[in-house]
PDB file of all heavy atoms in Angstrom:
ATOM      1  N   LEU A   1       0.835  -1.254   0.088  1.00 96.00           N
ATOM      2  CA  LEU A   1       0.013   0.039  -0.087  1.00 96.00           C
ATOM      3  C   LEU A   1       0.942   1.198   0.027  1.00 96.00           C
ATOM      4  O   LEU A   1       1.729   1.458   0.948  1.00 96.00           O
ATOM      5  CB  LEU A   1      -0.927   0.005   1.364  1.00 96.00           C
ATOM      6  CG  LEU A   1      -1.852   1.177   1.437  1.00 96.00           C
ATOM      7  CD1 LEU A   1      -2.954   1.037   0.348  1.00 96.00           C
ATOM      8  CD2 LEU A   1      -2.441   1.164   2.829  1.00 96.00           C
ATOM      9  N   GLU A   2       0.761   2.187  -1.042  1.00 94.00           N
ATOM     10  CA  GLU A   2       1.574   3.283  -1.073  1.00 94.00           C
ATOM     11  C   GLU A   2       0.872   4.611  -1.068  1.00 94.00           C
ATOM     12  O   GLU A   2       1.465   5.590  -0.812  1.00 94.00           O
ATOM     13  CB  GLU A   2       2.439   3.282  -2.371  1.00 94.00           C
ATOM     14  CG  GLU A   2       3.235   1.965  -2.548  1.00 94.00           C
ATOM     15  CD  GLU A   2       4.198   1.745  -1.484  1.00 94.00           C
ATOM     16  OE1 GLU A   2       4.664   2.603  -0.887  1.00 94.00           O
ATOM     17  OE2 GLU A   2       4.595   0.568  -1.134  1.00 94.00           O
ATOM     18  N   TYR A   3      -0.366   4.595  -1.487  1.00 94.00           N
ATOM     19  CA  TYR A   3      -1.070   5.893  -1.744  1.00 94.00           C
ATOM     20  C   TYR A   3      -2.461   5.981  -1.099  1.00 94.00           C
ATOM     21  O   TYR A   3      -3.155   4.839  -0.998  1.00 94.00           O
ATOM     22  CB  TYR A   3      -1.286   6.278  -3.166  1.00 94.00           C
ATOM     23  CG  TYR A   3      -0.014   6.235  -3.933  1.00 94.00           C
ATOM     24  CD1 TYR A   3       0.343   5.224  -4.779  1.00 94.00           C
ATOM     25  CD2 TYR A   3       1.004   7.276  -3.702  1.00 94.00           C
ATOM     26  CE1 TYR A   3       1.618   5.133  -5.461  1.00 94.00           C
ATOM     27  CE2 TYR A   3       2.144   7.257  -4.480  1.00 94.00           C
ATOM     28  CZ  TYR A   3       2.544   6.176  -5.246  1.00 94.00           C
ATOM     29  OH  TYR A   3       3.718   6.182  -5.885  1.00 94.00           O
ATOM     30  N   GLU A   4      -2.928   7.068  -0.610  1.00 93.00           N
ATOM     31  CA  GLU A   4      -4.206   7.195   0.107  1.00 93.00           C
ATOM     32  C   GLU A   4      -5.333   6.716  -0.830  1.00 93.00           C
ATOM     33  O   GLU A   4      -6.273   6.125  -0.350  1.00 93.00           O
ATOM     34  CB  GLU A   4      -4.325   8.695   0.477  1.00 93.00           C
ATOM     35  CG  GLU A   4      -5.539   8.788   1.503  1.00 93.00           C
ATOM     36  CD  GLU A   4      -5.118   8.507   2.843  1.00 93.00           C
ATOM     37  OE1 GLU A   4      -4.036   8.833   3.389  1.00 93.00           O
ATOM     38  OE2 GLU A   4      -6.070   7.763   3.543  1.00 93.00           O
ATOM     39  N   ASP A   5      -5.300   7.072  -2.216  1.00 96.00           N
ATOM     40  CA  ASP A   5      -6.406   6.731  -2.945  1.00 96.00           C
ATOM     41  C   ASP A   5      -6.471   5.109  -3.110  1.00 96.00           C
ATOM     42  O   ASP A   5      -7.614   4.678  -3.398  1.00 96.00           O
ATOM     43  CB  ASP A   5      -6.277   7.305  -4.347  1.00 96.00           C
ATOM     44  CG  ASP A   5      -4.976   7.071  -5.113  1.00 96.00           C
ATOM     45  OD1 ASP A   5      -4.122   6.543  -4.601  1.00 96.00           O
ATOM     46  OD2 ASP A   5      -4.918   7.468  -6.354  1.00 96.00           O
ATOM     47  N   GLU A   6      -5.300   4.409  -2.992  1.00 96.00           N
ATOM     48  CA  GLU A   6      -5.425   3.104  -2.933  1.00 96.00           C
ATOM     49  C   GLU A   6      -6.189   2.452  -1.845  1.00 96.00           C
ATOM     50  O   GLU A   6      -7.059   1.494  -1.866  1.00 96.00           O
ATOM     51  CB  GLU A   6      -3.989   2.391  -2.891  1.00 96.00           C
ATOM     52  CG  GLU A   6      -3.129   2.575  -4.083  1.00 96.00           C
ATOM     53  CD  GLU A   6      -1.792   1.889  -3.884  1.00 96.00           C
ATOM     54  OE1 GLU A   6      -1.050   2.407  -3.077  1.00 96.00           O
ATOM     55  OE2 GLU A   6      -1.609   0.724  -4.442  1.00 96.00           O
ATOM     56  N   LEU A   7      -6.023   3.168  -0.653  1.00 97.00           N
ATOM     57  CA  LEU A   7      -6.882   2.712   0.528  1.00 97.00           C
ATOM     58  C   LEU A   7      -8.317   2.988   0.294  1.00 97.00           C
ATOM     59  O   LEU A   7      -9.100   2.054   0.690  1.00 97.00           O
ATOM     60  CB  LEU A   7      -6.264   3.583   1.742  1.00 97.00           C
ATOM     61  CG  LEU A   7      -6.693   3.152   3.080  1.00 97.00           C
ATOM     62  CD1 LEU A   7      -6.448   1.661   3.374  1.00 97.00           C
ATOM     63  CD2 LEU A   7      -6.036   3.975   4.200  1.00 97.00           C
ATOM     64  N   ASP A   8      -8.668   4.032  -0.417  1.00 97.00           N
ATOM     65  CA  ASP A   8     -10.123   4.191  -0.784  1.00 97.00           C
ATOM     66  C   ASP A   8     -10.615   3.165  -1.613  1.00 97.00           C
ATOM     67  O   ASP A   8     -11.734   2.689  -1.328  1.00 97.00           O
ATOM     68  CB  ASP A   8     -10.237   5.597  -1.497  1.00 97.00           C
ATOM     69  CG  ASP A   8      -9.900   6.792  -0.626  1.00 97.00           C
ATOM     70  OD1 ASP A   8      -9.943   6.696   0.651  1.00 97.00           O
ATOM     71  OD2 ASP A   8      -9.558   7.880  -1.230  1.00 97.00           O
ATOM     72  N   GLU A   9      -9.663   2.830  -2.566  1.00 98.00           N
ATOM     73  CA  GLU A   9     -10.177   1.714  -3.542  1.00 98.00           C
ATOM     74  C   GLU A   9     -10.351   0.346  -2.739  1.00 98.00           C
ATOM     75  O   GLU A   9     -11.302  -0.291  -3.084  1.00 98.00           O
ATOM     76  CB  GLU A   9      -9.042   1.653  -4.611  1.00 98.00           C
ATOM     77  CG  GLU A   9      -9.522   1.257  -6.008  1.00 98.00           C
ATOM     78  CD  GLU A   9      -8.325   1.289  -6.845  1.00 98.00           C
ATOM     79  OE1 GLU A   9      -7.341   1.957  -6.687  1.00 98.00           O
ATOM     80  OE2 GLU A   9      -8.299   0.299  -7.773  1.00 98.00           O
ATOM     81  N   ILE A  10      -9.416   0.084  -1.945  1.00 98.00           N
ATOM     82  CA  ILE A  10      -9.394  -1.272  -1.247  1.00 98.00           C
ATOM     83  C   ILE A  10     -10.649  -1.364  -0.316  1.00 98.00           C
ATOM     84  O   ILE A  10     -11.295  -2.269  -0.238  1.00 98.00           O
ATOM     85  CB  ILE A  10      -8.125  -1.449  -0.489  1.00 98.00           C
ATOM     86  CG1 ILE A  10      -6.958  -1.622  -1.396  1.00 98.00           C
ATOM     87  CG2 ILE A  10      -8.267  -2.516   0.353  1.00 98.00           C
ATOM     88  CD1 ILE A  10      -5.657  -1.343  -0.754  1.00 98.00           C
ATOM     89  N   THR A  11     -10.901  -0.284   0.278  1.00 98.00           N
ATOM     90  CA  THR A  11     -11.981  -0.295   1.345  1.00 98.00           C
ATOM     91  C   THR A  11     -13.510  -0.107   0.706  1.00 98.00           C
ATOM     92  O   THR A  11     -14.450  -0.107   1.501  1.00 98.00           O
ATOM     93  CB  THR A  11     -11.795   0.804   2.486  1.00 98.00           C
ATOM     94  OG1 THR A  11     -11.516   2.024   1.933  1.00 98.00           O
ATOM     95  CG2 THR A  11     -10.635   0.263   3.326  1.00 98.00           C
ATOM     96  N   ALA A  12     -13.415   0.332  -0.555  1.00 98.00           N
ATOM     97  CA  ALA A  12     -14.769   0.477  -1.238  1.00 98.00           C
ATOM     98  C   ALA A  12     -15.591  -0.827  -1.339  1.00 98.00           C
ATOM     99  O   ALA A  12     -15.068  -1.730  -1.030  1.00 98.00           O
ATOM    100  CB  ALA A  12     -14.579   1.132  -2.637  1.00 98.00           C
ATOM    101  N   ASP A  13     -16.879  -0.668  -1.602  1.00 97.00           N
ATOM    102  CA  ASP A  13     -17.823  -1.813  -1.668  1.00 97.00           C
ATOM    103  C   ASP A  13     -17.305  -2.796  -2.613  1.00 97.00           C
ATOM    104  O   ASP A  13     -17.474  -4.111  -2.397  1.00 97.00           O
ATOM    105  CB  ASP A  13     -19.251  -1.409  -1.970  1.00 97.00           C
ATOM    106  CG  ASP A  13     -19.906  -0.628  -0.951  1.00 97.00           C
ATOM    107  OD1 ASP A  13     -19.271  -0.721   0.279  1.00 97.00           O
ATOM    108  OD2 ASP A  13     -20.811   0.107  -1.069  1.00 97.00           O
ATOM    109  N   ASP A  14     -16.666  -2.362  -3.728  1.00 97.00           N
ATOM    110  CA  ASP A  14     -16.204  -3.283  -4.839  1.00 97.00           C
ATOM    111  C   ASP A  14     -14.696  -3.444  -4.702  1.00 97.00           C
ATOM    112  O   ASP A  14     -14.069  -3.647  -5.688  1.00 97.00           O
ATOM    113  CB  ASP A  14     -16.587  -2.919  -6.175  1.00 97.00           C
ATOM    114  CG  ASP A  14     -16.184  -1.385  -6.413  1.00 97.00           C
ATOM    115  OD1 ASP A  14     -15.579  -0.762  -5.534  1.00 97.00           O
ATOM    116  OD2 ASP A  14     -16.201  -1.054  -7.704  1.00 97.00           O
ATOM    117  N   GLY A  15     -14.134  -3.236  -3.551  1.00 98.00           N
ATOM    118  CA  GLY A  15     -12.694  -3.227  -3.406  1.00 98.00           C
ATOM    119  C   GLY A  15     -12.107  -4.707  -2.900  1.00 98.00           C
ATOM    120  O   GLY A  15     -12.894  -5.551  -2.660  1.00 98.00           O
ATOM    121  N   ALA A  16     -10.918  -4.726  -2.804  1.00 98.00           N
ATOM    122  CA  ALA A  16     -10.355  -6.050  -2.496  1.00 98.00           C
ATOM    123  C   ALA A  16     -10.613  -6.552  -1.140  1.00 98.00           C
ATOM    124  O   ALA A  16     -10.754  -7.803  -0.929  1.00 98.00           O
ATOM    125  CB  ALA A  16      -8.703  -5.792  -2.554  1.00 98.00           C
ATOM    126  N   LEU A  17     -10.819  -5.567  -0.225  1.00 98.00           N
ATOM    127  CA  LEU A  17     -11.070  -6.001   1.205  1.00 98.00           C
ATOM    128  C   LEU A  17     -12.498  -6.946   1.196  1.00 98.00           C
ATOM    129  O   LEU A  17     -12.619  -7.836   2.079  1.00 98.00           O
ATOM    130  CB  LEU A  17     -11.284  -4.794   2.012  1.00 98.00           C
ATOM    131  CG  LEU A  17     -10.900  -4.988   3.530  1.00 98.00           C
ATOM    132  CD1 LEU A  17      -9.463  -5.619   3.599  1.00 98.00           C
ATOM    133  CD2 LEU A  17     -10.916  -3.715   4.137  1.00 98.00           C
ATOM    134  N   ALA A  18     -13.399  -6.455   0.308  1.00 98.00           N
ATOM    135  CA  ALA A  18     -14.667  -7.274   0.320  1.00 98.00           C
ATOM    136  C   ALA A  18     -14.373  -8.645  -0.098  1.00 98.00           C
ATOM    137  O   ALA A  18     -15.010  -9.632   0.369  1.00 98.00           O
ATOM    138  CB  ALA A  18     -15.660  -6.598  -0.676  1.00 98.00           C
ATOM    139  N   ALA A  19     -13.374  -8.936  -1.072  1.00 98.00           N
ATOM    140  CA  ALA A  19     -13.095 -10.214  -1.437  1.00 98.00           C
ATOM    141  C   ALA A  19     -12.387 -11.000  -0.415  1.00 98.00           C
ATOM    142  O   ALA A  19     -12.613 -12.195  -0.162  1.00 98.00           O
ATOM    143  CB  ALA A  19     -12.182 -10.253  -2.693  1.00 98.00           C
ATOM    144  N   PHE A  20     -11.400 -10.278   0.350  1.00 98.00           N
ATOM    145  CA  PHE A  20     -10.733 -10.874   1.522  1.00 98.00           C
ATOM    146  C   PHE A  20     -11.731 -11.454   2.532  1.00 98.00           C
ATOM    147  O   PHE A  20     -11.636 -12.600   2.952  1.00 98.00           O
ATOM    148  CB  PHE A  20      -9.843  -9.853   2.251  1.00 98.00           C
ATOM    149  CG  PHE A  20      -8.594  -9.565   1.458  1.00 98.00           C
ATOM    150  CD1 PHE A  20      -8.426  -9.441   0.060  1.00 98.00           C
ATOM    151  CD2 PHE A  20      -7.286  -9.330   2.298  1.00 98.00           C
ATOM    152  CE1 PHE A  20      -7.253  -9.210  -0.543  1.00 98.00           C
ATOM    153  CE2 PHE A  20      -6.230  -9.001   1.559  1.00 98.00           C
ATOM    154  CZ  PHE A  20      -6.105  -8.903   0.283  1.00 98.00           C
ATOM    155  N   ARG A  21     -12.618 -10.607   2.776  1.00 98.00           N
ATOM    156  CA  ARG A  21     -13.680 -10.947   3.835  1.00 98.00           C
ATOM    157  C   ARG A  21     -14.581 -12.108   3.445  1.00 98.00           C
ATOM    158  O   ARG A  21     -14.831 -13.060   4.253  1.00 98.00           O
ATOM    159  CB  ARG A  21     -14.513  -9.733   4.322  1.00 98.00           C
ATOM    160  CG  ARG A  21     -13.604  -8.734   5.091  1.00 98.00           C
ATOM    161  CD  ARG A  21     -14.353  -7.451   5.347  1.00 98.00           C
ATOM    162  NE  ARG A  21     -13.488  -6.552   6.128  1.00 98.00           N
ATOM    163  CZ  ARG A  21     -13.568  -5.171   6.077  1.00 98.00           C
ATOM    164  NH1 ARG A  21     -14.462  -4.621   5.301  1.00 98.00           N
ATOM    165  NH2 ARG A  21     -12.759  -4.486   6.878  1.00 98.00           N
ATOM    166  N   GLU A  22     -14.993 -12.144   2.189  1.00 98.00           N
ATOM    167  CA  GLU A  22     -15.779 -13.289   1.693  1.00 98.00           C
ATOM    168  C   GLU A  22     -14.895 -14.553   1.709  1.00 98.00           C
ATOM    169  O   GLU A  22     -15.394 -15.724   2.160  1.00 98.00           O
ATOM    170  CB  GLU A  22     -16.179 -13.055   0.344  1.00 98.00           C
ATOM    171  CG  GLU A  22     -17.405 -12.305   0.164  1.00 98.00           C
ATOM    172  CD  GLU A  22     -17.858 -12.003  -1.374  1.00 98.00           C
ATOM    173  OE1 GLU A  22     -17.435 -12.886  -2.225  1.00 98.00           O
ATOM    174  OE2 GLU A  22     -18.494 -11.119  -1.529  1.00 98.00           O
ATOM    175  N   ALA A  23     -13.664 -14.412   1.373  1.00 98.00           N
ATOM    176  CA  ALA A  23     -12.664 -15.600   1.319  1.00 98.00           C
ATOM    177  C   ALA A  23     -12.472 -16.056   2.691  1.00 98.00           C
ATOM    178  O   ALA A  23     -12.466 -17.281   3.080  1.00 98.00           O
ATOM    179  CB  ALA A  23     -11.385 -15.211   0.648  1.00 98.00           C
ATOM    180  N   LYS A  24     -12.426 -15.194   3.762  1.00 98.00           N
ATOM    181  CA  LYS A  24     -12.253 -15.591   5.173  1.00 98.00           C
ATOM    182  C   LYS A  24     -13.528 -16.347   5.586  1.00 98.00           C
ATOM    183  O   LYS A  24     -13.426 -17.388   6.246  1.00 98.00           O
ATOM    184  CB  LYS A  24     -12.121 -14.293   5.908  1.00 98.00           C
ATOM    185  CG  LYS A  24     -11.713 -14.590   7.368  1.00 98.00           C
ATOM    186  CD  LYS A  24     -11.306 -13.245   8.042  1.00 98.00           C
ATOM    187  CE  LYS A  24     -11.236 -13.575   9.567  1.00 98.00           C
ATOM    188  NZ  LYS A  24     -10.921 -12.343  10.355  1.00 98.00           N
ATOM    189  N   ASP A  25     -14.797 -15.842   5.146  1.00 98.00           N
ATOM    190  CA  ASP A  25     -16.000 -16.466   5.530  1.00 98.00           C
ATOM    191  C   ASP A  25     -16.036 -17.886   5.111  1.00 98.00           C
ATOM    192  O   ASP A  25     -16.560 -18.874   5.614  1.00 98.00           O
ATOM    193  CB  ASP A  25     -17.232 -15.723   5.158  1.00 98.00           C
ATOM    194  CG  ASP A  25     -17.446 -14.407   5.895  1.00 98.00           C
ATOM    195  OD1 ASP A  25     -16.876 -14.329   7.045  1.00 98.00           O
ATOM    196  OD2 ASP A  25     -18.107 -13.541   5.399  1.00 98.00           O
ATOM    197  N   GLU A  26     -15.510 -18.046   3.819  1.00 98.00           N
ATOM    198  CA  GLU A  26     -15.388 -19.347   3.200  1.00 98.00           C
ATOM    199  C   GLU A  26     -14.323 -20.325   3.695  1.00 98.00           C
ATOM    200  O   GLU A  26     -14.105 -21.409   3.212  1.00 98.00           O
ATOM    201  CB  GLU A  26     -15.306 -19.232   1.610  1.00 98.00           C
ATOM    202  CG  GLU A  26     -16.518 -18.627   1.022  1.00 98.00           C
ATOM    203  CD  GLU A  26     -16.516 -18.379  -0.455  1.00 98.00           C
ATOM    204  OE1 GLU A  26     -15.706 -19.215  -1.076  1.00 98.00           O
ATOM    205  OE2 GLU A  26     -17.115 -17.542  -1.058  1.00 98.00           O
ATOM    206  N   GLY A  27     -13.505 -19.695   4.526  1.00 98.00           N
ATOM    207  CA  GLY A  27     -12.359 -20.607   5.137  1.00 98.00           C
ATOM    208  C   GLY A  27     -11.141 -20.718   4.243  1.00 98.00           C
ATOM    209  O   GLY A  27     -10.322 -21.525   4.442  1.00 98.00           O
ATOM    210  N   LEU A  28     -11.077 -19.806   3.198  1.00 98.00           N
ATOM    211  CA  LEU A  28      -9.934 -19.852   2.299  1.00 98.00           C
ATOM    212  C   LEU A  28      -8.733 -19.186   2.924  1.00 98.00           C
ATOM    213  O   LEU A  28      -7.600 -19.361   2.517  1.00 98.00           O
ATOM    214  CB  LEU A  28     -10.260 -19.243   0.928  1.00 98.00           C
ATOM    215  CG  LEU A  28     -11.420 -20.080   0.159  1.00 98.00           C
ATOM    216  CD1 LEU A  28     -11.663 -19.341  -1.136  1.00 98.00           C
ATOM    217  CD2 LEU A  28     -10.861 -21.512  -0.191  1.00 98.00           C
ATOM    218  N   ILE A  29      -9.074 -17.970   3.623  1.00 98.00           N
ATOM    219  CA  ILE A  29      -8.050 -17.449   4.444  1.00 98.00           C
ATOM    220  C   ILE A  29      -8.455 -17.249   5.869  1.00 98.00           C
ATOM    221  O   ILE A  29      -9.699 -17.240   6.263  1.00 98.00           O
ATOM    222  CB  ILE A  29      -7.601 -16.020   3.883  1.00 98.00           C
ATOM    223  CG1 ILE A  29      -8.876 -15.030   3.886  1.00 98.00           C
ATOM    224  CG2 ILE A  29      -7.308 -16.055   2.386  1.00 98.00           C
ATOM    225  CD1 ILE A  29      -8.590 -13.678   3.334  1.00 98.00           C
ATOM    226  N   GLU A  30      -7.424 -17.212   6.763  1.00 98.00           N
ATOM    227  CA  GLU A  30      -7.590 -17.168   8.179  1.00 98.00           C
ATOM    228  C   GLU A  30      -7.665 -15.699   8.748  1.00 98.00           C
ATOM    229  O   GLU A  30      -8.474 -15.347   9.531  1.00 98.00           O
ATOM    230  CB  GLU A  30      -6.711 -18.001   8.931  1.00 98.00           C
ATOM    231  CG  GLU A  30      -6.697 -19.531   8.754  1.00 98.00           C
ATOM    232  CD  GLU A  30      -7.838 -20.096   9.394  1.00 98.00           C
ATOM    233  OE1 GLU A  30      -8.220 -19.682  10.609  1.00 98.00           O
ATOM    234  OE2 GLU A  30      -8.420 -21.104   8.893  1.00 98.00           O
ATOM    235  N   HIS A  31      -6.727 -14.945   8.302  1.00 98.00           N
ATOM    236  CA  HIS A  31      -6.521 -13.558   8.894  1.00 98.00           C
ATOM    237  C   HIS A  31      -6.208 -12.689   7.681  1.00 98.00           C
ATOM    238  O   HIS A  31      -5.690 -12.983   6.666  1.00 98.00           O
ATOM    239  CB  HIS A  31      -5.378 -13.697   9.809  1.00 98.00           C
ATOM    240  CG  HIS A  31      -5.581 -14.700  10.878  1.00 98.00           C
ATOM    241  ND1 HIS A  31      -6.395 -14.429  12.077  1.00 98.00           N
ATOM    242  CD2 HIS A  31      -4.958 -15.840  11.167  1.00 98.00           C
ATOM    243  CE1 HIS A  31      -6.352 -15.502  12.715  1.00 98.00           C
ATOM    244  NE2 HIS A  31      -5.444 -16.370  12.269  1.00 98.00           N
ATOM    245  N   ILE A  32      -6.429 -11.345   7.943  1.00 98.00           N
ATOM    246  CA  ILE A  32      -6.271 -10.218   6.910  1.00 98.00           C
ATOM    247  C   ILE A  32      -5.130  -9.441   7.504  1.00 98.00           C
ATOM    248  O   ILE A  32      -5.191  -8.959   8.713  1.00 98.00           O
ATOM    249  CB  ILE A  32      -7.551  -9.515   6.720  1.00 98.00           C
ATOM    250  CG1 ILE A  32      -8.587 -10.409   6.139  1.00 98.00           C
ATOM    251  CG2 ILE A  32      -7.268  -8.293   5.927  1.00 98.00           C
ATOM    252  CD1 ILE A  32      -9.996  -9.738   6.060  1.00 98.00           C
ATOM    253  N   GLY A  33      -4.195  -9.131   6.532  1.00 98.00           N
ATOM    254  CA  GLY A  33      -2.997  -8.222   7.038  1.00 98.00           C
ATOM    255  C   GLY A  33      -2.874  -7.194   5.847  1.00 98.00           C
ATOM    256  O   GLY A  33      -3.547  -7.061   4.849  1.00 98.00           O
ATOM    257  N   LEU A  34      -1.765  -6.399   6.090  1.00 98.00           N
ATOM    258  CA  LEU A  34      -1.488  -5.329   5.157  1.00 98.00           C
ATOM    259  C   LEU A  34       0.075  -5.147   5.052  1.00 98.00           C
ATOM    260  O   LEU A  34       0.702  -5.280   6.269  1.00 98.00           O
ATOM    261  CB  LEU A  34      -2.144  -3.991   5.755  1.00 98.00           C
ATOM    262  CG  LEU A  34      -1.783  -2.756   5.028  1.00 98.00           C
ATOM    263  CD1 LEU A  34      -2.960  -2.246   4.040  1.00 98.00           C
ATOM    264  CD2 LEU A  34      -1.592  -1.548   5.984  1.00 98.00           C
ATOM    265  N   THR A  35       0.544  -4.939   3.864  1.00 98.00           N
ATOM    266  CA  THR A  35       2.045  -4.548   3.908  1.00 98.00           C
ATOM    267  C   THR A  35       2.282  -3.125   3.219  1.00 98.00           C
ATOM    268  O   THR A  35       1.469  -2.827   2.292  1.00 98.00           O
ATOM    269  CB  THR A  35       2.848  -5.612   3.179  1.00 98.00           C
ATOM    270  OG1 THR A  35       2.741  -5.301   1.718  1.00 98.00           O
ATOM    271  CG2 THR A  35       2.358  -6.941   3.418  1.00 98.00           C
TER     272      THR A  35
END
């Protein structure tokens, strides 16, 4: 993560985080992190 607008994009309804959370509910990932 390098720029503020990326953070907006990731946390939007159609952003990466929504996918992460779904994958977590499905048991494909255990925890969510950030680099």
Side-chain angles (χ1 to χ4, degrees):
L1 182 71
E2 304 301 330
Y3 305 105
E4 196 73 47
D5 59 350
E6 288 182 287
L7 189 52
D8 295 339
E9 212 178 323
I10 290 157
T11 51
D13 291 345
D14 59 350
L17 212 51
F20 281 35
R21 286 169 178 156
E22 271 178 29
K24 192 175 167 185
D25 290 342
E26 289 180 28
L28 298 175
I29 64 181
E30 291 286 328
H31 306 284
I32 294 171
L34 173 102
T35 84

